[in-house]
Amino acid sequence: MLQLQLLSSPPLTPQTVNLNSISNPKLFPSFSSLNSSQTRSFKFNPLSKPSKFSLKCCQSEYFDQKQRFNDSSSSSSPSSLGLPARFYVGHSIYKGKAALTVEPRAPEFVPLDSGAFKISREGFVLLQFAPAAGVRQYDWSRKQVFSLSVTEIGTLISLGMRESCEFFHDPFKGKSDEGKVRKVLKVEPLPDGSGHFFNLGVQNKLLNVDENVYIPITRGEFTVLKSASSFILPYLLGWHAFANSTKPDDTSRANNANPRYGGDYEWSR
């Protein structure tokens, strides 16, 4: 509702002006949006002293509802709640016999009494092999997984087109079930040199499983895996967190406070 109120002494010869006559957008474009439910006339005296007007405008329910929706949406977003946004990424390769999915997993940190954080577990790259169940269909319920450590990732990155490597894992090593689960990942060059075979063999005596899943990886696909692994490797070590928290002033104070850090310590022996 739009209300125009005259703040002056009572007019001597009041005149009435119909707003319908000034709602013509050619003459008064600012009044062309007034609707029929609003007050359509007011009185003024042309001979009286200059008057002051007060303007009151009530927004429609549409804008009120829109504003409330925007406020509620922004208040519930992760950034407004102070929570960091999380992203999940991966790369998949599909072939006739099997599919391979490669996913990086972040390192873990633990808080210290000083307020700082220390890495408790390095990140890794998770390989998931799923056998084919039909044409372009894969049985992910039978998938087998293999986690590559940072050192194993380095071995894979440095692998030449004619070179091979082999990784052995025992998830229960050092425990009572040691030797009951064996995982062997072999990466071998194709006979024509066009890529590599990824062959994962799993023997699980606890579940009575003995399965081999293999998938050929072309030269281009292998290059993508090596490039992505090279990029993510410092993040798996947690060095990005150290780099992001380092400032020039903090670095100088830390080096002076702890003689174990800094280049001068080696030469001062």
Side-chain angles (χ1 to χ4, degrees), residues 156-231:
L156 196 64
I157 293 174
S158 62
L159 199 65
M161 293 305 300
R162 293 288 183 179
E163 296 178 334
S164 62
C165 62
E166 181 176 324
F167 306 116
F168 170 77
H169 283 186
D170 184 351
F172 298 101
K173 186 176 182 179
K175 301 179 181 179
S176 59
D177 291 332
E178 181 177 354
K180 295 183 179 180
V181 178
R182 296 168 53 89
K183 295 184 179 182
V184 179
L185 175 63
K186 296 181 180 180
V187 181
E188 301 174 329
L190 294 174
D192 58 358
S194 61
H196 283 80
F197 260 124
F198 277 57
N199 188 351
L200 177 61
V202 178
Q203 294 181 351
N204 191 332
K205 297 179 180 179
L206 300 176
L207 301 177
N208 194 21
V209 173
D210 188 356
E211 189 168 5
N212 280 272
V213 184
Y214 66 91
I215 179 173
I217 305 297
T218 64
R219 184 191 298 267
E221 293 167 341
F222 192 60
T223 301
V224 171
L225 293 179
K226 293 170 64 174
S227 178
S229 299
S230 299
F231 172 80

Coordinates of all heavy atoms in Angstrom, one line a residue, residues 156-231:
L156 N 55.0 -46.2 -9.6 CA 54.1 -46.3 -10.7 C 54.4 -45.1 -11.7 O 54.3 -45.2 -12.9 CB 52.6 -46.2 -10.3 CG 51.6 -46.7 -11.3 CD1 51.8 -48.1 -11.8 CD2 50.2 -46.5 -10.8
I157 N 54.6 -43.9 -11.1 CA 54.9 -42.7 -11.9 C 56.2 -42.9 -12.7 O 56.3 -42.5 -13.9 CB 55.0 -41.5 -11.0 CG1 53.6 -41.2 -10.4 CG2 55.5 -40.3 -11.8 CD1 53.6 -40.1 -9.4
S158 N 57.2 -43.5 -12.1 CA 58.5 -43.6 -12.8 C 58.6 -44.8 -13.7 O 59.6 -45.1 -14.3 CB 59.6 -43.8 -11.7 OG 59.4 -45.0 -10.9
L159 N 57.5 -45.5 -13.8 CA 57.5 -46.8 -14.7 C 57.5 -46.4 -16.2 O 56.8 -45.6 -16.6 CB 56.2 -47.6 -14.4 CG 56.2 -49.0 -14.8 CD1 57.3 -49.8 -14.0 CD2 54.9 -49.7 -14.6
G160 N 58.5 -47.0 -16.9 CA 58.6 -46.8 -18.3 C 57.6 -47.7 -19.1 O 57.0 -48.6 -18.5
M161 N 57.5 -47.5 -20.4 CA 56.5 -48.2 -21.2 C 56.9 -49.7 -21.3 O 56.0 -50.5 -21.5 CB 56.4 -47.6 -22.5 CG 55.7 -46.2 -22.5 SD 54.1 -46.1 -21.7 CE 53.2 -47.3 -22.7
R162 N 58.1 -50.0 -21.1 CA 58.6 -51.4 -21.3 C 58.9 -52.0 -19.9 O 59.4 -53.1 -19.9 CB 59.8 -51.5 -22.2 CG 59.5 -51.1 -23.6 CD 58.7 -52.2 -24.3 NE 58.4 -52.0 -25.7 CZ 57.7 -52.8 -26.5 NH1 57.2 -53.9 -26.0 NH2 57.6 -52.5 -27.8
E163 N 58.6 -51.3 -18.8 CA 58.9 -51.8 -17.5 C 57.7 -52.3 -16.8 O 56.6 -52.0 -17.2 CB 59.6 -50.7 -16.7 CG 60.9 -50.2 -17.3 CD 61.5 -49.0 -16.5 OE1 60.7 -48.3 -15.8 OE2 62.7 -48.9 -16.5
S164 N 57.9 -53.1 -15.8 CA 56.8 -53.7 -15.0 C 57.1 -53.5 -13.5 O 58.3 -53.3 -13.1 CB 56.7 -55.2 -15.3 OG 57.8 -55.9 -15.0
C165 N 56.1 -53.7 -12.7 CA 56.3 -53.6 -11.2 C 55.2 -54.5 -10.6 O 54.2 -54.9 -11.2 CB 56.2 -52.2 -10.7 SG 54.6 -51.4 -11.0
E166 N 55.4 -54.8 -9.3 CA 54.5 -55.7 -8.6 C 54.4 -55.2 -7.1 O 55.5 -54.9 -6.5 CB 55.0 -57.1 -8.7 CG 54.1 -58.1 -8.0 CD 54.6 -59.5 -8.2 OE1 55.1 -59.8 -9.3 OE2 54.5 -60.4 -7.2
F167 N 53.2 -55.2 -6.6 CA 53.0 -54.8 -5.2 C 52.2 -55.9 -4.5 O 51.3 -56.5 -5.0 CB 52.2 -53.5 -5.2 CG 52.8 -52.3 -6.0 CD1 52.0 -51.8 -7.0 CD2 54.0 -51.8 -5.7 CE1 52.6 -50.8 -7.8 CE2 54.5 -50.8 -6.4 CZ 53.8 -50.2 -7.5
F168 N 52.7 -56.1 -3.3 CA 52.0 -57.2 -2.4 C 51.5 -56.6 -1.2 O 52.2 -55.8 -0.5 CB 53.0 -58.3 -2.1 CG 52.5 -59.2 -1.1 CD1 51.6 -60.2 -1.4 CD2 53.0 -59.2 0.3 CE1 51.2 -61.1 -0.4 CE2 52.5 -60.0 1.2 CZ 51.6 -61.0 0.9
H169 N 50.3 -56.9 -0.8 CA 49.6 -56.4 0.4 C 49.0 -57.5 1.2 O 48.4 -58.4 0.6 CB 48.5 -55.4 0.0 CG 49.0 -54.0 -0.4 ND1 48.1 -53.0 -0.6 CD2 50.3 -53.5 -0.6 CE1 48.9 -51.9 -0.9 NE2 50.1 -52.2 -1.0
D170 N 49.2 -57.4 2.5 CA 48.5 -58.3 3.5 C 47.9 -57.4 4.5 O 48.5 -56.8 5.4 CB 49.6 -59.2 4.1 CG 48.9 -60.2 5.1 OD1 47.7 -60.1 5.3 OD2 49.6 -61.1 5.5
P171 N 46.5 -57.2 4.4 CA 45.9 -56.3 5.3 C 46.0 -56.6 6.7 O 45.9 -55.8 7.6 CB 44.4 -56.3 4.8 CG 44.5 -56.8 3.4 CD 45.6 -57.7 3.4
F172 N 46.3 -57.9 7.0 CA 46.3 -58.4 8.4 C 47.8 -58.6 8.9 O 48.0 -59.4 9.8 CB 45.5 -59.6 8.6 CG 44.0 -59.4 8.4 CD1 43.4 -59.8 7.2 CD2 43.2 -58.8 9.3 CE1 42.1 -59.6 6.9 CE2 41.9 -58.6 9.0 CZ 41.3 -59.0 7.9
K173 N 48.7 -58.0 8.2 CA 50.1 -58.3 8.5 C 50.4 -57.8 10.0 O 50.0 -56.7 10.4 CB 51.0 -57.5 7.6 CG 52.5 -57.8 7.8 CD 53.4 -57.1 6.7 CE 54.8 -57.5 6.9 NZ 55.7 -56.9 5.9
G174 N 51.0 -58.6 10.7 CA 51.3 -58.4 12.1 C 50.2 -58.7 13.1 O 50.3 -58.4 14.3
K175 N 49.1 -59.2 12.5 CA 47.9 -59.6 13.4 C 47.7 -61.1 13.3 O 48.4 -61.8 12.7 CB 46.7 -58.8 12.9 CG 46.8 -57.3 12.9 CD 45.6 -56.6 12.4 CE 45.7 -55.1 12.4 NZ 44.5 -54.4 11.9
S176 N 46.7 -61.5 14.0 CA 46.5 -63.0 14.2 C 46.0 -63.6 12.8 O 46.3 -64.8 12.6 CB 45.4 -63.2 15.2 OG 44.2 -62.6 14.9
D177 N 45.4 -62.8 12.0 CA 45.0 -63.4 10.7 C 46.0 -63.1 9.5 O 45.6 -63.1 8.4 CB 43.6 -62.7 10.3 CG 42.5 -63.2 11.2 OD1 42.6 -64.4 11.7 OD2 41.5 -62.5 11.4
E178 N 47.2 -62.9 9.9 CA 48.2 -62.6 8.9 C 48.4 -63.8 7.9 O 48.4 -65.0 8.3 CB 49.6 -62.4 9.6 CG 50.7 -62.1 8.6 CD 52.0 -61.7 9.3 OE1 52.0 -61.6 10.5 OE2 53.0 -61.6 8.6
G179 N 48.4 -63.5 6.6 CA 48.6 -64.6 5.6 C 47.2 -65.1 5.1 O 47.2 -65.8 4.1
K180 N 46.1 -64.7 5.7 CA 44.8 -65.2 5.3 C 44.3 -64.4 4.1 O 43.4 -64.9 3.4 CB 43.9 -65.3 6.4 CG 44.3 -66.3 7.5 CD 43.2 -66.4 8.6 CE 43.6 -67.4 9.7 NZ 42.6 -67.5 10.8
V181 N 44.8 -63.2 3.9 CA 44.3 -62.4 2.8 C 45.6 -61.9 2.1 O 46.4 -61.2 2.7 CB 43.5 -61.2 3.3 CG1 43.1 -60.3 2.1 CG2 42.2 -61.7 4.0
R182 N 45.7 -62.2 0.8 CA 46.8 -61.8 0.0 C 46.3 -61.0 -1.2 O 45.4 -61.5 -1.9 CB 47.6 -63.0 -0.4 CG 48.3 -63.8 0.7 CD 48.8 -65.1 0.3 NE 49.7 -64.9 -0.9 CZ 51.0 -64.7 -0.8 NH1 51.6 -64.7 0.4 NH2 51.8 -64.6 -1.9
K183 N 46.9 -59.9 -1.5 CA 46.6 -59.1 -2.6 C 47.9 -58.8 -3.4 O 48.8 -58.3 -2.8 CB 45.9 -57.8 -2.2 CG 44.5 -58.0 -1.6 CD 43.9 -56.6 -1.3 CE 42.5 -56.8 -0.7 NZ 41.9 -55.5 -0.5
V184 N 47.9 -59.1 -4.7 CA 49.0 -58.8 -5.5 C 48.6 -58.0 -6.7 O 47.7 -58.4 -7.5 CB 49.7 -60.1 -6.0 CG1 50.9 -59.8 -6.9 CG2 50.1 -61.0 -4.8
L185 N 49.2 -56.9 -6.9 CA 48.9 -56.0 -8.1 C 50.1 -56.0 -9.0 O 51.2 -55.6 -8.6 CB 48.6 -54.6 -7.7 CG 48.4 -53.6 -8.8 CD1 47.1 -54.0 -9.7 CD2 48.2 -52.2 -8.3
K186 N 49.9 -56.5 -10.2 CA 51.0 -56.5 -11.2 C 50.6 -55.5 -12.3 O 49.5 -55.5 -12.8 CB 51.1 -57.9 -11.8 CG 51.5 -59.0 -10.8 CD 51.7 -60.3 -11.5 CE 52.1 -61.4 -10.5 NZ 52.2 -62.7 -11.1
V187 N 51.7 -54.7 -12.7 CA 51.6 -53.8 -13.8 C 52.6 -54.2 -14.8 O 53.8 -54.0 -14.6 CB 51.7 -52.4 -13.3 CG1 51.6 -51.4 -14.5 CG2 50.7 -52.0 -12.2
E188 N 52.2 -54.7 -15.9 CA 53.1 -55.3 -16.9 C 52.8 -54.7 -18.3 O 51.7 -54.3 -18.6 CB 52.9 -56.8 -17.0 CG 53.2 -57.5 -15.7 CD 52.9 -59.0 -15.8 OE1 52.0 -59.4 -16.5 OE2 53.6 -59.8 -15.1
P189 N 53.9 -54.5 -19.1 CA 53.7 -53.9 -20.4 C 52.9 -54.8 -21.4 O 53.1 -56.1 -21.3 CB 55.1 -53.6 -20.9 CG 55.9 -54.6 -20.2 CD 55.3 -54.8 -18.8
L190 N 52.1 -54.3 -22.2 CA 51.5 -55.1 -23.3 C 52.5 -55.5 -24.3 O 53.6 -54.9 -24.5 CB 50.4 -54.2 -24.0 CG 49.2 -53.8 -23.1 CD1 48.3 -52.9 -23.9 CD2 48.4 -55.0 -22.6
P191 N 52.3 -56.7 -24.9 CA 53.3 -57.2 -25.9 C 53.7 -56.2 -27.0 O 54.8 -56.2 -27.4 CB 52.6 -58.4 -26.5 CG 51.6 -58.9 -25.4 CD 51.2 -57.6 -24.8
D192 N 52.7 -55.4 -27.5 CA 53.0 -54.5 -28.6 C 53.5 -53.2 -28.1 O 53.8 -52.2 -28.9 CB 51.8 -54.3 -29.5 CG 50.6 -53.8 -28.7 OD1 50.7 -53.6 -27.4 OD2 49.6 -53.6 -29.3
G193 N 53.7 -53.0 -26.8 CA 54.2 -51.8 -26.2 C 53.2 -50.6 -26.2 O 53.6 -49.5 -26.0
S194 N 51.9 -50.9 -26.4 CA 50.9 -49.8 -26.5 C 50.3 -49.4 -25.2 O 49.4 -48.6 -25.1 CB 49.8 -50.3 -27.5 OG 49.1 -51.4 -27.0
G195 N 50.7 -50.1 -24.1 CA 50.2 -49.8 -22.8 C 50.6 -50.8 -21.8 O 51.7 -51.4 -21.9
H196 N 49.8 -50.9 -20.7 CA 50.1 -51.9 -19.6 C 48.9 -52.7 -19.3 O 47.7 -52.2 -19.5 CB 50.6 -51.1 -18.4 CG 52.0 -50.6 -18.5 ND1 52.4 -49.5 -19.2 CD2 53.2 -51.2 -18.0 CE1 53.7 -49.3 -19.1 NE2 54.2 -50.3 -18.4
F197 N 49.1 -53.8 -18.7 CA 48.1 -54.6 -18.1 C 48.1 -54.4 -16.6 O 49.2 -54.4 -15.9 CB 48.4 -56.1 -18.3 CG 47.5 -56.7 -19.4 CD1 48.1 -57.4 -20.5 CD2 46.2 -56.7 -19.4 CE1 47.4 -57.9 -21.5 CE2 45.4 -57.2 -20.4 CZ 46.0 -57.8 -21.4
F198 N 46.9 -54.1 -16.0 CA 46.8 -54.0 -14.6 C 46.1 -55.3 -14.1 O 44.9 -55.5 -14.5 CB 46.0 -52.8 -14.2 CG 46.8 -51.5 -14.1 CD1 47.5 -51.1 -15.2 CD2 46.8 -50.8 -12.9 CE1 48.2 -49.9 -15.1 CE2 47.5 -49.6 -12.8 CZ 48.2 -49.2 -13.9
N199 N 46.7 -56.1 -13.4 CA 46.2 -57.4 -13.0 C 46.2 -57.5 -11.4 O 47.3 -57.4 -10.8 CB 47.0 -58.5 -13.5 CG 46.4 -59.9 -13.3 OD1 45.4 -60.0 -12.6 ND2 47.0 -60.9 -13.9
L200 N 45.0 -57.6 -10.9 CA 44.9 -57.7 -9.4 C 44.4 -59.1 -9.0 O 43.3 -59.5 -9.5 CB 43.9 -56.6 -8.9 CG 43.6 -56.7 -7.4 CD1 44.8 -56.5 -6.6 CD2 42.5 -55.7 -7.0
G201 N 45.2 -59.8 -8.2 CA 44.9 -61.1 -7.7 C 44.6 -61.0 -6.2 O 45.4 -60.5 -5.5
V202 N 43.4 -61.6 -5.8 CA 43.0 -61.5 -4.4 C 42.7 -62.9 -4.0 O 41.9 -63.7 -4.6 CB 41.8 -60.6 -4.2 CG1 41.4 -60.7 -2.8 CG2 42.1 -59.2 -4.7
Q203 N 43.4 -63.4 -2.9 CA 43.1 -64.6 -2.2 C 42.7 -64.3 -0.8 O 43.5 -63.9 0.0 CB 44.4 -65.5 -2.2 CG 44.8 -66.0 -3.6 CD 46.0 -66.9 -3.6 OE1 46.6 -67.0 -2.5 NE2 46.3 -67.5 -4.7
N204 N 41.4 -64.6 -0.5 CA 40.9 -64.4 0.8 C 40.4 -65.7 1.4 O 39.3 -66.1 1.0 CB 39.8 -63.3 0.7 CG 39.3 -62.8 2.1 OD1 39.4 -63.5 3.1 ND2 38.8 -61.6 2.1
K205 N 41.1 -66.2 2.3 CA 40.7 -67.5 2.9 C 39.6 -67.3 3.9 O 38.9 -68.3 4.2 CB 41.9 -68.2 3.6 CG 43.1 -68.5 2.7 CD 44.2 -69.1 3.4 CE 45.4 -69.5 2.4 NZ 46.5 -70.1 3.2
L206 N 39.4 -66.1 4.4 CA 38.3 -65.9 5.4 C 37.0 -65.9 4.7 O 36.0 -66.4 5.3 CB 38.5 -64.5 6.1 CG 39.8 -64.4 6.9 CD1 40.0 -62.9 7.4 CD2 39.9 -65.4 8.0
L207 N 36.9 -65.5 3.4 CA 35.7 -65.4 2.7 C 35.7 -66.5 1.6 O 34.7 -66.5 0.8 CB 35.4 -64.0 2.1 CG 35.4 -62.9 3.1 CD1 35.2 -61.6 2.4 CD2 34.2 -63.1 4.1
N208 N 36.7 -67.3 1.5 CA 36.8 -68.3 0.4 C 36.7 -67.6 -1.0 O 35.9 -68.0 -1.8 CB 35.7 -69.3 0.6 CG 36.0 -70.6 -0.2 OD1 37.2 -70.8 -0.6 ND2 35.0 -71.4 -0.5
V209 N 37.6 -66.6 -1.2 CA 37.6 -65.9 -2.4 C 38.9 -66.0 -3.1 O 40.0 -65.9 -2.4 CB 37.3 -64.4 -2.2 CG1 37.5 -63.6 -3.5 CG2 35.8 -64.2 -1.7
D210 N 39.0 -66.4 -4.3 CA 40.2 -66.5 -5.1 C 39.9 -65.9 -6.5 O 39.3 -66.6 -7.4 CB 40.7 -67.9 -5.2 CG 42.1 -68.0 -5.9 OD1 42.6 -66.9 -6.3 OD2 42.6 -69.1 -6.0
E211 N 40.2 -64.7 -6.8 CA 39.8 -64.0 -8.0 C 40.9 -63.1 -8.6 O 41.7 -62.6 -7.8 CB 38.6 -63.1 -7.6 CG 37.9 -62.5 -8.9 CD 36.5 -61.9 -8.5 OE1 36.2 -61.8 -7.3 OE2 35.8 -61.4 -9.5
N212 N 40.9 -63.1 -9.9 CA 41.8 -62.2 -10.6 C 41.0 -61.3 -11.5 O 40.1 -61.8 -12.3 CB 42.8 -63.1 -11.5 CG 43.9 -63.7 -10.6 OD1 44.9 -63.0 -10.4 ND2 43.7 -64.9 -10.1
V213 N 41.3 -60.0 -11.5 CA 40.7 -59.0 -12.3 C 41.8 -58.3 -13.1 O 42.7 -57.8 -12.4 CB 39.9 -58.1 -11.5 CG1 39.1 -57.1 -12.5 CG2 38.9 -58.8 -10.6
Y214 N 41.7 -58.3 -14.4 CA 42.7 -57.6 -15.2 C 42.1 -56.7 -16.2 O 41.0 -56.9 -16.6 CB 43.7 -58.6 -15.9 CG 43.0 -59.4 -16.9 CD1 43.0 -59.0 -18.3 CD2 42.4 -60.6 -16.6 CE1 42.3 -59.8 -19.2 CE2 41.8 -61.4 -17.6 CZ 41.8 -61.0 -18.9 OH 41.1 -61.7 -19.8
I215 N 42.8 -55.6 -16.5 CA 42.3 -54.6 -17.4 C 43.4 -54.0 -18.2 O 44.5 -53.6 -17.6 CB 41.5 -53.5 -16.7 CG1 40.9 -52.5 -17.7 CG2 42.3 -52.8 -15.6 CD1 40.0 -51.5 -17.0
P216 N 43.3 -53.9 -19.5 CA 44.4 -53.3 -20.3 C 44.3 -51.7 -20.2 O 43.2 -51.2 -20.4 CB 44.2 -53.8 -21.7 CG 42.7 -54.1 -21.8 CD 42.3 -54.5 -20.4
I217 N 45.4 -51.1 -20.1 CA 45.5 -49.6 -20.0 C 46.3 -49.1 -21.2 O 47.5 -49.5 -21.3 CB 46.1 -49.1 -18.7 CG1 45.3 -49.7 -17.5 CG2 46.1 -47.6 -18.6 CD1 43.8 -49.3 -17.4
T218 N 45.8 -48.3 -22.0 CA 46.5 -47.8 -23.1 C 47.6 -46.8 -22.7 O 47.6 -46.3 -21.5 CB 45.6 -47.1 -24.1 OG1 45.0 -45.9 -23.5 CG2 44.4 -48.0 -24.5
R219 N 48.4 -46.4 -23.7 CA 49.5 -45.4 -23.4 C 48.9 -44.1 -22.9 O 49.4 -43.5 -21.9 CB 50.3 -45.2 -24.6 CG 51.5 -44.3 -24.4 CD 52.1 -43.9 -25.8 NE 52.6 -45.1 -26.4 CZ 53.9 -45.5 -26.4 NH1 54.8 -44.9 -25.6 NH2 54.2 -46.6 -27.0
G220 N 47.8 -43.6 -23.6 CA 47.2 -42.3 -23.2 C 46.6 -42.4 -21.8 O 46.7 -41.5 -21.0
E221 N 45.9 -43.5 -21.5 CA 45.3 -43.7 -20.2 C 46.3 -43.8 -19.1 O 46.1 -43.2 -18.0 CB 44.4 -44.9 -20.2 CG 43.2 -44.8 -21.1 CD 42.5 -46.1 -21.4 OE1 43.1 -47.2 -21.2 OE2 41.3 -46.1 -21.8
F222 N 47.4 -44.5 -19.4 CA 48.5 -44.6 -18.4 C 49.1 -43.2 -18.2 O 49.5 -42.9 -17.0 CB 49.5 -45.6 -18.9 CG 50.5 -46.0 -17.9 CD1 50.1 -46.6 -16.7 CD2 51.9 -45.8 -18.0 CE1 51.0 -47.0 -15.7 CE2 52.8 -46.2 -17.1 CZ 52.4 -46.8 -15.9
T223 N 49.2 -42.4 -19.2 CA 49.8 -41.1 -19.0 C 48.9 -40.2 -18.1 O 49.4 -39.4 -17.3 CB 50.0 -40.4 -20.4 OG1 50.9 -41.2 -21.2 CG2 50.6 -39.0 -20.3
V224 N 47.6 -40.3 -18.3 CA 46.7 -39.6 -17.5 C 46.8 -40.0 -16.0 O 46.8 -39.2 -15.1 CB 45.2 -39.8 -17.9 CG1 44.2 -39.2 -16.9 CG2 45.0 -39.2 -19.3
L225 N 46.9 -41.3 -15.8 CA 47.1 -41.8 -14.4 C 48.4 -41.3 -13.8 O 48.4 -40.9 -12.6 CB 47.1 -43.3 -14.4 CG 45.7 -44.0 -14.7 CD1 45.9 -45.5 -14.7 CD2 44.6 -43.5 -13.8
K226 N 49.5 -41.3 -14.5 CA 50.8 -40.8 -14.0 C 50.7 -39.3 -13.8 O 51.3 -38.9 -12.7 CB 51.9 -41.2 -15.0 CG 52.1 -42.7 -15.1 CD 53.0 -43.0 -16.3 CE 54.4 -42.4 -16.1 NZ 55.4 -42.9 -17.1
S227 N 50.1 -38.6 -14.7 CA 50.1 -37.1 -14.5 C 49.2 -36.7 -13.3 O 49.6 -35.9 -12.5 CB 49.5 -36.4 -15.7 OG 49.4 -35.0 -15.6
A228 N 48.0 -37.4 -13.1 CA 47.2 -37.1 -12.0 C 47.9 -37.5 -10.7 O 47.8 -36.8 -9.6 CB 45.9 -37.8 -12.1
S229 N 48.6 -38.6 -10.7 CA 49.3 -39.1 -9.5 C 50.4 -38.1 -9.1 O 50.6 -37.8 -7.9 CB 49.8 -40.5 -9.7 OG 48.8 -41.4 -10.0
S230 N 51.1 -37.6 -10.1 CA 52.2 -36.6 -9.8 C 51.6 -35.4 -9.2 O 52.2 -34.8 -8.3 CB 52.9 -36.3 -11.1 OG 53.6 -37.4 -11.6
F231 N 50.5 -34.9 -9.7 CA 49.9 -33.7 -9.1 C 49.4 -33.9 -7.7 O 49.6 -33.0 -6.8 CB 48.7 -33.3 -10.0 CG 47.9 -32.2 -9.5 CD1 48.3 -30.9 -9.6 CD2 46.7 -32.4 -8.8 CE1 47.5 -29.8 -9.1 CE2 45.9 -31.4 -8.3 CZ 46.4 -30.1 -8.4

